[in-house]
């Protein structure tokens, strides 16, 4: 059932877009979230910080894979239950309804495959001149289709509306 009319009075439209992306992917780095929203890294960080102040997301430090590495901890953002609830209401999913179609399909939650899928939209925006990317999704589940793309980007190429399909392999 449809949720009642909903108006976001607690977060801005941009922050809600960031929250929706983070709700889909559960956790992600700033660059991945920036790629999926189409916002600059600065704007993404600003919206993430505001969402953190509101208690919708949390920031944790992820240790490097190799402890002998000179790299320090990497900040990773995670959606909290309060954030998931707000994102679901914004999608007009009623409270108490089991709904998992929004979730990112993940075989390997970490690694190059996931990162490549999430950075696909930024890669398309930066490398294909004259191509507009309006939005995109990583690790997409499409009901009724046996195969699933690692990422989809929707935009305009050579004056034509286009759906770009990525297979990482």
């Amino acid at each position: 059932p449809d949720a009642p009319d909903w108006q976001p009075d607690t977060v801005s439209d941009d922050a809600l877009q960031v929250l929706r992306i983070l709700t889909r992917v559960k956790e992600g780095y700033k660059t991945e979230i920036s790629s999926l929203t189409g916002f600059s890294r600065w704007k993404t960080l600003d919206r993430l910080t505001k969402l953190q102040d509101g208690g919708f997301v949390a920031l944790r430090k992820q240790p490097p894979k190799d402890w002998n590495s000179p790299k320090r901890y990497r900040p990773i953002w995670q959606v909290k239950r309060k954030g998931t609830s707000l994102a679901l209401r914004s999608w007009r999913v009623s409270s108490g309804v089991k709904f998992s179609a929004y979730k990112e399909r993940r075989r390997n939650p970490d690694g190059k495959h996931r990162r490549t899928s999430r950075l696909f939209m930024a890669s398309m925006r930066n490398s294909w001149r004259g191509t507009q990317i309006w939005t995109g999704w990583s690790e997409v589940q499409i009901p009724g289709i046996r195969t699933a793309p690692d990422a989809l980007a929707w935009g305009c190429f050579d004056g034509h509306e286009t759906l770009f399909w990525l297979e990482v392999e």
Side-chain angles (χ1 to χ4, degrees):
D2 232 5
D5 285 342
W6 180 83
Q7 293 296 322
D9 55 352
T10 54
V11 298
S12 68
D13 289 342
D14 289 346
L16 183 60
Q17 178 67 14
V18 169
L19 183 61
R20 286 173 171 165
I21 293 296
L22 201 50
T23 298
R24 256 197 97 247
V25 301
K26 295 297 178 201
E27 65 180 24
Y29 299 108
K30 175 183 66 176
T31 53
E32 296 171 344
I33 298 165
S34 174
S35 172
L36 291 165
T37 59
F39 297 157
S40 69
R41 290 181 187 167
W42 176 87
K43 185 176 182 177
T44 301
L45 180 61
D46 179 65
R47 299 321 183 263
L48 283 166
T49 303
K50 288 178 180 173
L51 289 167
Q52 182 183 25
D53 292 345
F56 299 104
V57 301
L59 176 64
R60 74 174 172 87
K61 305 285 186 181
Q62 183 181 29
K65 289 182 181 181
D66 177 12
W67 284 99
N68 296 324
S69 170
K71 290 185 177 181
R72 301 282 185 227
Y73 286 89
R74 294 182 63 192
I76 192 165
W77 294 89
Q78 294 179 310
V79 68
K80 295 173 91 175
R81 184 177 180 164
K82 181 179 176 182
T84 300
S85 179
L86 182 63
L88 289 173
R89 295 304 84 73
S90 77
W91 286 322
R92 297 185 57 109
V93 175
S94 293
S95 180
V97 172
K98 295 262 186 214
F99 181 71
S100 62
Y102 66 90
K103 293 179 183 175
E104 180 181 61
R105 174 187 59 84
R106 292 197 269 177
R107 285 186 213 129
N108 179 8
D110 293 314
K112 186 177 179 181
H113 188 277
R114 182 189 80 169
R115 188 150 174 85
T116 302
S117 296
R118 291 182 178 182
L119 295 177
F120 178 56
M121 282 55 68
S123 174
M124 292 293 292
R125 287 182 187 101
N126 293 332
S127 62
W128 285 36
R129 291 182 188 220
T131 300
Q132 294 178 330
I133 301 298
W134 300 322
T135 192
W137 307 269
S138 59
E139 301 291 333
V140 184
Q141 300 178 59
I142 304 173
I145 296 180
R146 189 172 173 193
T147 60
D150 292 327
L152 289 176
W154 177 39
C156 184
F157 175 71
D158 198 23
H160 300 283
E161 186 173 347
T162 306
L163 186 65
F164 302 90
W165 179 307
L166 172 73
E167 289 298 330
V168 174
E169 292 82 23

